[in-house]
Amino acid sequence: MEAPKVEEISHPPMDQLQGLEYCIDSNPSWGEAIALGFQHYILALGTAVMIPTFLVPLMGGSDNDKVRVIQTLLFVGGINTLIQTLFGTRLPTVIGGSWAYMVPIMSIIHDRSLTAILDPHVRFLSTMRAIQGALIVGSSVQIILGYSQLWAIFSRFFSPLNMVPVVALVGFGLFDRGFPVVGQCVEIGVPMLILFVAFSQYLKHLQTKQVPILERFALLISVAVIWAYAHLLTASGAYKHHPEETQMHCRTDKANLIDSAPWIKIPYPLQWGAPTFDAGHAFGMMAAVIVSLIESTGAYKAASRLASATPPPAHVLSRGIGWQGIGILLDGLFGTLTGSTVSVENVGLLGSTRVGSRRVVQISAGFMIFFAILGKFGALFASIPFTIFAAIYCVLFGLVASVGLSFLQFTNMNSMRSLFIVGVSFYLGLSIPEYFRQYTAGALHGPSHTNAGWFNDFLNTIFGSSPTVALIVSVFLDNTLEFKESAKDRGMSWWAKFRSFKGDSRNEEFYTLPFNLNRFFPPS
């Protein structure tokens, strides 16, 4: 039998991901773009509802407070998304709330000076103001690193090899948000997972007027079907005698958002009162801001692939981080309860729909702002059970992780050096944060437990993030282990032309600022 030819068993590396219907600067029809934007908005609701639902009761807040926080988080998220897509990286990324801020936020919530307040509403307001102050100070980290171009300088140490575990763990590191939550209500979660995969993959070729409806709108259709099914189960009394936790994950009427939501409410800066500032709280929050920066960097790399764009040049990446810092400053001023970062699930949706259009994401930002103001209508969509979102995450987080693995095509994986760096970075990136999570669950505090609370928050936050640990390990190993002799193995010969804005002619098409602003802010 004749030996296979090289071209039959290998696939040449490709700068841009193929197979997308619409890339970053091409747009579907307005009707289709609006429907796709609404789909991104629905997906963004998951995190926007989950974070306040978890935190507000711990702060002493009521259902009315929870609804106002959700509205504020969506409103500011819409503003930050517009800013990022217009003036930041210009990639089609939705900016939303982040779980990376949980350690310092929980530390503030359990601060003795706040827990001593007996009135629940006063305690809620005082805690919110303390979190706002910490976010305002913490935002300076990204603002300085971004606009000073320090992050651009540091990113020049990145290679495709060390970006593999970082980008992959942006998705893989969120595994606890997927099937563990689906398992809380399998009769809703598993059908949702099956239906979403069936529509988006197995039935994707079914078309209406030459539009692949099921592939393009798999999320909207499957959510509508399973949401209606969950409502039937709720109305029939299927969960009447189940434990409270099961009812929270399965019922469609437990969130109590619609009754609590105002018809019209416009969030505004300092709506909770003047922020309060504490050096310890602020220092701990800075660690979360650094983690958010690293996770967003990985998400931007993934978004550029899924939008069929070139990797963002160092200058553009740093510009985006600077604007993201402004976004965290807005989080602190408005009182969103948590800082912002790139929404990983929405990045995954770019690949699932094969639509990487910037316009679609900007339309979704409009929906976020619009429904944040019209509280009753927004609350209706926000009452979708968490389990439905978790089932979608099982697919979309995995898709983002696979984009990270796709960077392997630019490296030499027949090199023991490459195998060592990727393997160790992956393992430690998963194992160290898991140790921190298990320790915290058992001891009710992190492994770092000294008298200096700010120091504990800093270490527990940094080493509780999989992408952050992976970045520390992979960048250190990749730039210290025979790095001069291994430039080709690391993929630097491919990556080098994308370091500067003028290194590739396509960068101007994807990343040039609108309104001819490049005249005043020339790219480097």
Side-chain angles (χ1 to χ4, degrees), residues 1 35-36 40 51 66 88-89 120 124 163 203 244 255 271 283 309 322 333 397 405 469 487 496:
M1 183 176 178
L36 287 164
H40 273 279
I51 291 177
K66 179 174 67 175
T89 60
F124 168 77
M163 280 293 102
L203 301 175
E244 185 68 22
Q271 59 186 330
F283 195 82
L333 290 173
F397 288 161
L405 297 178
V469 174

Side-chain angles (χ1 to χ4, degrees), residues 165 169 420-434 466 469-470 473:
L169 289 179
F420 178 84
I421 292 172
V422 171
V424 172
S425 302
F426 258 116
Y427 190 83
L428 291 180
L430 287 169
S431 189
I432 291 176
E434 182 62 19
S466 291
V469 174
V473 174

Side-chain angles (χ1 to χ4, degrees), residues 103 435-450 456-457 460:
V103 171
Y435 163 72
F436 272 71
R437 280 191 288 267
Q438 288 186 9
Y439 191 103
T440 303
L444 300 180
H445 59 76
S448 178
H449 187 58
T450 66
N456 301 332
D457 291 346
N460 292 331

